[in-house]
Amino acid sequence: MPAAVAHAEPTAEEVREEIERLEEEFIELNATYNEAKETHEAAEEKLEEVLEEIGAAEEKVEEMGLDVRRLAGAAYSGTDFTSFNELVNSTGPENALAHQADLTYLAGQNDGQLARYIEELANLETLEASAVETEEEAAEALQDSEDATEEAEEAIAEQEELLSQLTAEEQEAATENVGGSGGGGESSGGGGGGASYNGPASGNARTALDFAYNQIGKPYVWGGTGPGGYDCSGLTQAAWGAAGVSLPRTTYDQVNAGQRVSWENMQPGDLLFFYPGGSGPDHVGMYAGDNVMVHASTSSRPIGTVTLSDYYRANFVTAVRP
């Protein structure tokens, strides 16, 4: 019998690298999901507006159609008010000239009405085509969001399977400072009970960080905007919202919602963006000072703080000051 081939068990470092890859994949899928969800909601709102416009246009076309049908009926009634006999049989030259002028005016009005009717029909056709296109866009965005959700669940399941093959010590080594909470010395509490921010921020930035730290320990929620849990951009949006600053929903839009600053010039409260994707950076957290970031990373761990290691520096895109 041939000898069985022995496969070496993955080391903690190999598992760590694979977990990093899976978490980047998860974060990218979350950004894709949020963008698709925003697109779907916008398409649904647009569709509702278009359908209302279609209803109004249909009523207008129906009303104008009645008038056009009346004009058509008059045209086929057999009486030609512009004929020579009609003009000759008038009571006098002045009356005939006035009659002709009236007919010319009415003819012009009818031509204008017919032109407006045709224009409204074309508008209705355009609106109906827009409704079909918007429905397709909404359906496609919904499918994209569902696909992203399914793929993200698979990535987390694969990560959990990898970790299950390691001892507790190896698991700790493999996940140390990878996307999750730990380090920094700024946070306290946990288990959903929140924490206190004691860093150097002031003003609106401090208000935003106070809010973010109060969410420490809450679960990461896929597509979450609170209050029970958040995803990465949901947390930063809510935190700065508590300070009276309105941020867009997705990382792709938040990266353009302020002044960009470099890694060396980051200040507490700045938004930190990581992992360049096709539409923009996929992940966002908030700088707390002292080389610490507070963020919602992935569904495998709760909201927390992390020390900005070389791993984050290597994947850094930009910082933004709202």
Side-chain angles (χ1 to χ4, degrees):
M1 296 291 291
V5 178
H7 295 282
E9 291 294 324
T11 65
E13 182 59 29
E14 290 171 337
V15 172
R16 176 191 177 91
E17 291 175 357
E18 181 62 11
I19 287 175
E20 287 176 352
R21 186 192 68 78
L22 289 169
E23 294 206 349
E24 289 175 28
E25 178 184 337
F26 179 94
I27 287 167
E28 179 181 1
L29 288 166
N30 176 247
T32 300
Y33 169 83
N34 284 336
E35 183 182 39
K37 186 179 177 183
E38 289 282 294
T39 301
H40 177 256
E41 291 175 356
E44 289 289 298
E45 290 178 7
K46 179 183 176 183
L47 179 60
E48 187 176 340
E49 293 173 0
V50 170
L51 291 176
E52 289 178 2
E53 291 181 27
I54 286 176
E58 285 176 338
E59 290 181 9
K60 192 171 184 180
V61 165
E62 180 62 25
E63 291 172 2
M64 296 182 72
L66 291 173
D67 292 336
V68 169
R69 283 192 287 275
R70 290 193 194 100
L71 293 174
Y76 287 96
S77 65
T79 303
D80 183 2
F81 293 105
T82 64
S83 69
F84 176 77
N85 288 336
E86 286 294 325
L87 293 175
V88 168
N89 291 331
S90 298
T91 57
E94 293 82 1
N95 190 13
L97 289 172
H99 187 46
Q100 187 179 29
D102 289 340
L103 288 171
T104 301
Y105 172 76
L106 289 172
Q109 289 295 99
N110 292 339
D111 288 343
Q113 187 174 21
L114 183 59
R116 287 193 299 275
Y117 178 66
I118 293 172
E119 183 180 336
E120 284 301 323
L121 282 175
N123 178 53
L124 179 58
E125 185 178 351
T126 300
L127 287 171
E128 289 174 340
S130 177
V132 171
E133 182 180 349
T134 304
E135 282 182 309
E136 292 174 350
E137 182 182 2
E140 182 179 351
L142 182 62
Q143 185 62 52
D144 288 344
S145 67
E146 291 172 352
D147 291 345
T149 301
E150 183 178 343
E151 292 178 35
E153 290 171 351
E154 292 173 358
I156 289 298
E158 187 176 346
Q159 176 179 323
E160 292 173 349
E161 173 63 23
L162 281 170
L163 289 173
S164 69
Q165 302 173 28
L166 304 179
T167 65
E169 292 77 11
E170 288 173 332
Q171 288 182 23
E172 184 177 355
T175 58
E176 181 184 5
N177 216 33
V178 179
S181 59
E186 290 292 337
S187 66
S188 61
S196 298
Y197 176 72
N198 299 310
S202 60
N204 286 343
R206 185 170 192 89
T207 302
L209 282 164
D210 282 340
F211 180 94
Y213 267 64
N214 196 43
Q215 313 313 308
I216 287 177
K218 286 185 178 181
Y220 176 99
V221 173
W222 180 256
T225 55
Y230 301 85
D231 65 10
C232 67
S233 56
L235 177 63
T236 52
Q237 181 188 50
W240 272 101
V245 177
S246 178
L247 292 181
R249 173 64 184 94
T250 70
T251 57
Y252 301 150
D253 292 327
Q254 287 185 11
V255 73
N256 297 313
Q259 174 191 354
R260 295 198 179 193
V261 295
S262 66
W263 177 273
E264 293 75 19
N265 293 315
M266 295 185 306
Q267 293 181 9
D270 287 351
L271 304 178
L272 308 185
F273 294 88
F274 302 91
Y275 315 122
S279 300
D282 294 324
H283 184 60
V284 61
M286 189 182 304
Y287 188 54
D290 297 329
N291 206 37
V292 172
M293 175 175 69
V294 57
H295 69 158
S297 56
T298 71
S299 60
S300 62
R301 49 181 63 86
I303 295 169
T305 58
V306 66
T307 299
L308 293 170
S309 61
D310 291 341
Y311 169 78
Y312 283 101
R313 183 66 182 90
N315 289 283
F316 177 72
V317 176
T318 188
V320 168
R321 190 162 300 151

